Amino acid sequence: MKKKLVILTILCFTLTVNFYSQEITVKGKVSDSSGELLGVSVLVKGTTKGTSTDFNGVYTIKAVKGDVLLFSYMGYKTKEIIISKSLLNVVLEEDSNALDEVVVTSFGIKRQKKSLGYAAQALKSEELLEGNQNNLVNTLQGKVSGVTITSSGGAPGASSVIMIRGGTSITGNNQPLMIVDGLPIDNSTDSSLEVASTNRASDLNPEDIESITVLKGPAAAALYGIQAAEGAVIITTKRGREGVSKVFLSSSLSVDNIIGTPSIQRNYGKGEQIPQVGGGVIYNDDSPLSWGEQIPSGTKTYNHIKDFYTTGVTQNHFLSYSGGAAKSNTYFSIGNLANEGVIPTTSYDKTTFRITQNSKLSEKLTLGISGNYIRTNINSTRQGNATGGSITSLLNYPSTVNAKDYEDADGAQKGFYTGQEFDNVYWSLENSPNTNELNRFIGSLGLDYAINKNLNLSYKFGADIYDQHSRRITANGSLNDTRSGGYISQYERLYKKYTSNFIATYDTQISSNFELNLLAGNTIEDSNVKTDYLTGKDFLAPGIYNISNISKENQSITERISRKRNVGVFGEIKLGYKQALFLNVTGRNDWSSTLPSKSRSFFYPSVGGSAVLTDLFNIKSEGNGLSYLKLRGTWAQVGKDAPIGQLESYLVTQINGLGSTGYAYNGVDVGNAALEPEFTNSWEIGFDSNFLNNRVSFNATYYKSVSDNQILSDIRVPPTAGTFYATLNGGEIENKGIEALLSVKLMPSTSDFQWTMNFNFGSNKTTVVDLPGELKEVYLSDSWTFLNSAAGAGVLNASLFSLRGKRALKNDDGEVLIEANGYPTLADETYTDVDRQPDFTLGVSSSMRYKNFGLSFLLDIVEGNTVYNATASALAFYGVGANTSDRGETTIIPGVKADGSINNISVTKDQVYYQDYYSRLSDNFVEDGSYTRLRYVSLNYQLGKNTINRLPISKLEFSLTGRNLVTFTNYSGVDPEINAFGGGIPGAGSVGVDNLGTPNTKGFDLGIKLTF
């Protein structure tokens, strides 16, 4: 009997094992309270077998009964289900708790946000694409606390400047490091003094971006080293997903017009005033100025500036494919942006190709390859007060002269007054092209080897290569005496940067309470930039714009090669306790080729920690109280090397203008063989908190950084030094400020109506604490405005973003000194009370959805920034500005005479008053630039599921977006959001300088998105 019982037991056990070990196909649908979820990861626990849900939320996977399936999706709680049947439908619950949120940090490594001791803010693809911005940098506008972004205008391809927590460098680059999939890319901007230039980050297609994480300040980017003192923008691109294949198509049509034009007067015509001895004035009508006599009634007049602009049209098309299997995934995309600008003949065309392939070569070895090819073509126009600048040319045409009548019967350019020496802007647009062509490749190859479950090795090699050709032409027939036979200025640049990263990570659970993460790595960056500059005048054959069409004696060719190598080693130790208390220590040592050998090696560390108090002390409230509370703090130091070529003085081949040819010391800019690295020390403290079942989150940070022993380039020194400019160490910049982010889900997740509001607040103060020697200011001449009336400057004991301008001389009591002619004497002085950086910024974004309809908007509030209105200065000088209509009236300039008495000398508001005094006095054009702008309002509609199910597509969406529709400001100019010379001006830059550029645009977009 016992024997039969044993046999029966063995038989039952065998049948049970066979039953549970039989592999079955498990299917099901994954959804949340509002519908199906795409891309949910489905994994057999304890194995590498997995898949993802498709567009309908459906998954299929082979497994054995009794196995456990893990369902995970960002923003939702992970769910585990034991397999007991072949049909398993799963409902995931939302989890906005920051405990489980994962962000991309240094070198593309993912970390739990709760373990970070510093502020980091991440944006997903759909957040970036709201507002339909073509420049990647502009997609962050108003969406990240502590980040300020300023566009340089509405010209095709115009650059944008991004700064995180102010600026740390007096003369160097103040923009953050750009990282794509763990490797740095170039985001430089060419000089925009003459022609609007783009920043190189705009080459990327926003549609290819999966997410962006903004690491704020040196603490966040300590491992990246030299270039990360200003923070880092970590860009993660899209890739294929296992079990999901999709084709995505988007297309949009945009129409744009400039925000506005300045007010002008059309009461007085062409001419200049010639004062007569003994009083009175006569008029010379043979003049480009608008200081002539009053225009007779009935005379036809023109608003040249308003008539100059047209409607811009942009088409943006994008196609992508993504798919994946168990051992590989693929992503491919192609996009084209074609923008016809708001200025006739101007355009911006960008075509992008991207492919990413990830393959699992074995259970431990993974290969990743990516390539991104970009081609851009820009046709632009001259701007500002450059020779041939569009607006400058228009100011030379009085309102009684038709600027569009510029050709004679033979087709040659004609002037409207005797001795005209400038070109008509419409003639220039047709005959003097300004083009910029670029071919760029950004690629990487990476290997990832998992030695075991704890130790992982990865290596990635990246290349950023582009060939850029820029050409500026003045055609034959120019009225400019020095360029009447034609003129060409061009450069050809070959940029190559190679990056090698090796990283080893070790993660282990020391005990039930302690975990340890170790990281060690090496990076090598090698850059080589070769630029050929070519200029020439007098074309031999008209209409052939090529340097070979110019005689050799009229040519000038210069070749410049800049090379740099940086080698760094770095490490990180992260210790966690009960997933609630974290300590993080980093260290990095760099060797830079741009520093002297004795100073070439420099080390810098960081230390930080975070404590999730709600878990550590189990103080999480039940119901609608406190859901999550984390405290964090970090101290960090980061080093910075010198620009290329600052160590040695160089020789020139001409001793002086009259001397013979030979090699001699340049005598203009001297090198410094004793340079040392500069350092930025920073610390920050903050907290992250969630309330009301995680429907409300509030994060805040206070920070302070000090950048000292600055490397200052092109600093004016006393003539006794034997040079005009020098590079030296010295100076100190202090930044301190507050950042805050409030996010509110106004409706519960179970509601048909969803509404989320985000408030991003940032306030930063940048102060020049110290300058070397007797210097009281540092400015770059590239930021000089019209008439050289002002320039951006860093001023001692004032803001880095202050001004240097022409001001009236004052006595010791601060009273303006008036001369006998009734006018004060003007001299170059600094503004210690001016800050072109805002007191604070506040971005208010909203996203609403009801069933198939969605509505979102962004309100951008910028408060307390100063703008210098050099455009108004130019309008006054030419007699075009509306305020010059008061000509002939008298005024008394406030001040005191030489004897100390109150000034009572009246002066007439005539041409002399406006040209020699009013337009040159910088105080007249320093204005409050605060504004509130509705960045965008976007309405979208998704086709319902019942309709979609009858079509061979999985998603169809229509959208209508309005951009920059409303701006509230007291600024008297056209646009308070201005950066006259773009991102090409380092240091104090030209943010907040309005200098005859193209205003920003406003418009509408109509779009469609289709998914198969």
Side-chain angles (χ1 to χ4, degrees):
M1 184 65 181
K2 290 182 178 180
K3 184 176 181 180
K4 291 181 180 180
L5 185 60
V6 171
I7 294 174
L8 182 61
T9 302
I10 293 174
L11 181 61
C12 290
F13 177 77
T14 303
L15 291 174
T16 301
V17 170
N18 287 336
F19 175 76
Y20 278 102
S21 63
Q22 182 180 1
E23 193 172 59
I24 62 173
T25 300
V26 182
K27 296 182 179 181
K29 182 178 291 187
V30 182
S31 60
D32 63 2
S33 58
S34 59
E36 295 80 11
L37 293 174
L38 161 69
V40 176
S41 173
V42 184
L43 181 69
V44 179
K45 189 174 182 180
T47 73
T48 58
K49 186 184 298 183
T51 186
S52 301
T53 57
D54 61 17
F55 293 102
N56 297 313
V58 175
Y59 72 93
T60 302
I61 191 170
K62 290 186 177 182
V64 176
K65 284 189 175 182
D67 283 348
V68 176
L69 287 184
L70 293 174
F71 297 85
S72 59
Y73 193 60
M74 183 172 288
Y76 291 80
K77 295 179 180 179
T78 300
K79 201 162 193 174
E80 297 186 9
I81 297 179
I82 300 175
I83 299 174
S84 60
K85 54 184 179 180
S86 59
L87 180 62
L88 283 178
N89 293 324
V90 179
V91 178
L92 297 183
E93 300 178 26
E94 286 191 50
D95 182 12
S96 60
N97 195 328
L99 275 170
D100 300 320
E101 186 177 352
V102 175
V103 295
V104 179
T105 62
S106 301
F107 300 101
I109 298 171
K110 295 181 179 180
R111 297 291 193 197
Q112 287 181 302
K113 191 173 181 180
K114 66 180 181 180
S115 69
L116 303 181
Y118 50 80
Q121 195 169 338
L123 295 175
K124 297 179 182 178
S125 175
E126 53 270 22
E127 296 175 275
L128 298 170
L129 295 176
E130 286 182 339
N132 199 27
Q133 295 284 355
N134 297 324
N135 190 324
L136 176 67
V137 171
N138 290 343
T139 65
L140 302 175
Q141 253 174 341
K143 298 175 183 177
V144 183
S145 59
V147 174
T148 57
I149 295 169
T150 308
S151 170
S152 57
S159 64
S160 292
V161 170
I162 174 174
M163 286 193 293
I164 303 175
R165 297 180 176 178
T168 65
S169 180
I170 297 174
T171 63
N173 180 30
N174 280 315
Q175 298 194 65
L177 180 64
M178 292 283 178
I179 303 291
V180 176
D181 295 331
L183 295 171
I185 65 164
D186 179 48
N187 183 36
S188 61
T189 306
D190 293 335
S191 171
S192 300
L193 296 180
E194 295 186 5
V195 176
S197 299
T198 192
N199 54 298
R200 294 272 62 96
S202 67
D203 295 337
L204 301 178
N205 194 326
E207 288 278 8
D208 283 325
I209 308 303
E210 180 70 31
S211 67
I212 290 181
T213 301
V214 179
L215 303 181
K216 304 175 183 179
L223 290 182
Y224 277 123
I226 290 174
Q227 303 174 68
E230 287 76 34
V233 177
I234 310 299
I235 301 168
T236 303
T237 61
K238 294 177 180 177
R239 55 184 294 177
R241 292 180 177 176
E242 181 183 341
V244 178
S245 294
K246 71 172 182 178
V247 176
F248 174 75
L249 172 67
S250 70
S251 184
S252 66
L253 176 67
S254 306
V255 292
D256 291 279
N257 289 285
I258 59 170
I259 286 177
T261 56
S263 299
I264 67 169
Q265 65 83 17
R266 286 193 276 179
N267 299 320
Y268 297 91
K270 71 171 183 173
E272 59 181 339
Q273 299 175 350
I274 303 176
Q276 299 299 295
V277 177
V281 63
I282 63 173
Y283 296 92
N284 174 22
D285 290 340
D286 204 22
S287 169
L289 300 175
S290 295
W291 288 105
E293 296 183 88
Q294 193 162 2
I295 299 173
S297 177
T299 303
K300 185 175 182 179
T301 60
Y302 304 87
N303 187 331
H304 297 304
I305 299 177
K306 185 176 181 180
D307 296 341
F308 177 62
Y309 296 104
T310 185
T311 297
V313 178
T314 304
Q315 296 184 59
N316 196 351
H317 307 291
F318 180 80
L319 175 68
S320 70
Y321 165 80
S322 63
K327 292 189 175 182
S328 67
N329 60 69
T330 302
Y331 174 85
F332 169 80
S333 74
I334 179 173
N336 177 255
L337 171 72
N339 169 221
E340 297 296 327
V342 292
I343 297 175
T345 75
T346 64
S347 63
Y348 174 56
D349 188 273
K350 178 175 70 174
T351 302
T352 63
F353 300 88
R354 183 173 186 85
I355 186 167
T356 301
Q357 177 70 42
N358 294 283
S359 301
K360 198 164 188 177
L361 303 180
S362 68
E363 286 299 315
K364 294 185 176 183
L365 184 62
T366 302
L367 171 67
I369 301 175
S370 72
N372 195 178
Y373 171 73
I374 306 108
R375 179 175 176 82
T376 66
N377 288 277
I378 301 176
N379 293 297
S380 193
T381 183
R382 293 180 181 257
Q383 64 175 11
N385 49 296
T387 301
S390 296
I391 305 303
T392 307
S393 173
L394 291 171
L395 293 179
N396 277 283
Y397 277 82
S399 61
T400 52
V401 179
N402 183 4
K404 295 183 180 180
D405 181 20
Y406 59 87
E407 286 185 342
D408 60 22
D410 297 326
Q413 183 184 186
K414 65 179 181 181
F416 68 91
Y417 74 98
T418 304
Q420 181 172 330
E421 294 184 356
F422 62 88
D423 291 326
N424 178 283
V425 62
Y426 294 99
W427 181 88
S428 294
L429 290 173
E430 291 293 333
N431 298 280
S432 300
N434 298 277
T435 60
N436 189 291
E437 300 176 1
L438 177 131
N439 291 278
R440 185 177 190 181
F441 173 78
I442 303 173
S444 68
L445 185 151
L447 288 171
D448 191 273
Y449 186 72
I451 296 178
N452 53 47
K453 67 177 183 178
N454 303 112
L455 182 60
N456 188 86
L457 304 179
S458 66
Y459 176 77
K460 182 173 283 190
F461 176 82
D464 184 3
I465 303 170
Y466 61 80
D467 179 23
Q468 184 179 10
H469 180 80
S470 178
R471 176 180 291 176
R472 300 169 188 175
I473 300 295
T474 301
N476 302 77
S478 170
L479 299 180
N480 186 323
D481 274 351
T482 62
R483 298 185 179 186
S484 59
Y487 178 82
I488 183 173
S489 172
Q490 71 180 48
Y491 67 81
E492 298 178 3
R493 175 176 296 137
L494 179 60
Y495 174 96
K496 294 184 288 185
K497 183 172 185 176
Y498 302 106
T499 305
S500 169
N501 284 343
F502 174 78
I503 299 175
T505 58
Y506 180 79
D507 303 326
T508 185
Q509 193 75 31
I510 300 175
S511 67
S512 58
N513 290 332
F514 288 94
E515 62 181 78
L516 178 66
N517 307 109
L518 301 177
L519 179 150
N522 162 255
T523 183
I524 301 173
E525 294 181 6
D526 191 287
S527 63
N528 189 323
V529 184
K530 178 179 177 292
T531 309
D532 294 327
Y533 299 92
L534 302 89
T535 61
K537 65 177 183 177
D538 298 335
F539 293 112
L540 298 174
I544 302 176
Y545 305 134
N546 192 292
I547 193 68
S548 62
N549 188 33
I550 291 177
S551 60
K552 291 187 180 299
E553 58 268 22
N554 289 333
Q555 295 180 14
S556 174
I557 301 176
T558 303
E559 180 181 82
R560 185 171 185 175
I561 298 176
S562 299
R563 300 181 62 186
K564 178 181 179 180
R565 175 171 292 177
N566 181 72
V567 178
V569 293
F570 50 87
E572 179 182 46
I573 301 174
K574 186 181 290 290
L575 183 65
Y577 173 70
K578 288 187 175 181
Q579 280 286 297
L581 191 63
F582 302 90
L583 175 66
N584 184 54
V585 179
T586 72
R588 175 166 175 141
N589 198 94
D590 279 311
W591 292 264
S592 172
S593 64
T594 65
L595 289 170
S597 57
K598 64 179 181 179
S599 306
R600 190 160 292 166
S601 173
F602 48 101
F603 174 81
Y604 40 92
S606 78
V607 59
S610 64
V612 184
L613 301 184
T614 43
D615 285 356
L616 193 62
F617 301 109
N618 195 27
I619 58 174
K620 185 183 299 185
S621 302
E622 298 294 334
N624 291 328
L626 179 67
S627 308
Y628 174 74
L629 178 61
K630 165 191 161 183
L631 300 182
R632 48 182 166 78
T634 296
W635 171 86
Q637 185 182 75
V638 64
K640 203 171 185 180
D641 59 359
I644 296 174
Q646 299 298 309
L647 300 184
E648 297 179 356
S649 305
Y650 62 92
L651 302 178
V652 292
T653 57
Q654 187 171 331
I655 297 175
N656 58 60
L658 300 176
S660 60
T661 300
Y663 290 101
Y665 162 56
N666 177 42
V668 174
D669 201 344
V670 62
N672 186 345
L675 286 179
E676 298 177 350
E678 65 179 68
F679 288 94
T680 296
N681 292 275
S682 72
W683 60 265
E684 66 176 77
I685 56 174
F687 68 88
D688 303 335
S689 60
N690 287 3
F691 303 89
L692 305 179
N693 288 327
N694 300 318
R695 286 175 56 188
V696 177
S697 66
F698 180 63
N699 310 326
T701 303
Y702 175 78
Y703 61 86
K704 181 178 179 179
S705 69
V706 176
S707 303
D708 56 8
N709 202 37
Q710 298 251 322
I711 298 175
L712 307 180
S713 302
D714 295 330
I715 298 299
R716 290 180 180 269
V717 294
T720 53
T723 181
F724 292 107
Y725 302 100
T727 299
L728 45 86
N729 282 107
E732 181 178 317
I733 295 291
E734 178 187 85
N735 278 279
K736 56 184 177 181
I738 298 173
E739 300 164 351
L741 168 62
L742 173 65
S743 181
V744 182
K745 292 186 176 181
L746 297 172
M747 304 299 292
S749 59
T750 55
S751 172
D752 287 339
F753 177 54
Q754 295 292 305
W755 187 4
T756 300
M757 294 281 294
N758 292 310
F759 302 83
N760 287 285
F761 174 86
S763 176
N764 181 82
K765 187 71 173 177
T766 305
T767 305
V768 180
V769 177
D770 185 41
L771 288 174
E774 300 298 320
L775 288 178
K776 302 297 182 183
E777 60 170 329
V778 172
Y779 73 94
L780 296 177
S781 57
D782 283 352
S783 65
W784 277 120
T785 59
F786 179 78
L787 293 177
N788 289 347
S789 60
V795 178
L796 184 63
N797 297 321
S799 174
L800 173 62
F801 303 99
S802 190
L803 281 172
R804 180 183 196 265
K806 295 188 181 300
R807 311 188 76 174
L809 292 181
K810 298 178 181 180
N811 60 23
D812 294 338
D813 296 325
E815 297 169 314
V816 174
L817 295 172
I818 304 297
E819 304 295 332
N821 60 3
Y823 290 97
T825 298
L826 304 183
D828 289 329
E829 293 185 13
T830 57
Y831 286 79
T832 58
D833 56 344
V834 162
D835 192 351
R836 291 175 285 123
Q837 201 176 30
D839 293 337
F840 71 85
T841 60
L842 177 63
V844 182
S845 60
S846 173
S847 179
M848 292 173 276
R849 176 157 294 280
Y850 179 72
K851 295 185 177 180
N852 298 331
F853 289 92
L855 177 67
S856 61
F857 69 81
L858 172 62
L859 196 65
D860 197 3
I861 302 171
V862 178
E863 185 65 33
N865 59 305
T866 297
V867 173
Y868 183 75
N869 192 351
T871 298
S873 170
L875 291 169
F877 180 88
Y878 284 101
V880 176
N883 62 330
T884 64
S885 292
D886 64 357
R887 60 191 66 181
E889 297 179 6
T890 59
T891 186
I892 297 176
I893 299 172
V896 296
K897 294 187 290 186
D899 60 6
S901 61
I902 300 298
N903 178 40
N904 59 0
I905 306 172
S906 64
V907 294
T908 302
K909 290 186 175 181
D910 54 11
Q911 182 175 339
V912 171
Y913 171 85
Y914 277 104
Q915 288 192 336
D916 295 347
Y917 167 68
Y918 182 86
S919 62
R920 297 177 186 273
L921 181 63
S922 302
D923 294 89
N924 291 326
F925 310 105
V926 175
E927 298 187 44
D928 176 18
S930 303
Y931 65 89
T932 298
R933 173 163 289 171
L934 186 59
R935 286 286 175 196
Y936 64 79
V937 177
S938 183
L939 175 66
N940 65 76
Y941 172 77
Q942 294 181 4
L943 216 59
K945 294 178 183 177
N946 293 334
T947 306
I948 287 291
N949 290 337
R950 296 195 294 268
L951 299 173
I953 57 177
S954 58
K955 188 176 180 180
L956 178 61
E957 178 183 299
F958 301 95
S959 64
L960 175 64
T961 301
R963 289 172 288 100
N964 295 340
L965 297 180
V966 181
T967 302
F968 302 97
T969 182
N970 291 323
Y971 178 58
S972 67
V974 173
D975 188 5
E977 182 196 347
I978 189 67
N979 181 8
F981 304 115
I985 309 298
S990 62
V991 171
V993 176
D994 183 348
N995 188 57
L996 300 168
T998 304
N1000 278 298
T1001 60
K1002 59 182 178 180
F1004 292 91
D1005 312 319
L1006 184 63
I1008 182 173
K1009 296 180 179 181
L1010 186 63
T1011 307
F1012 298 89

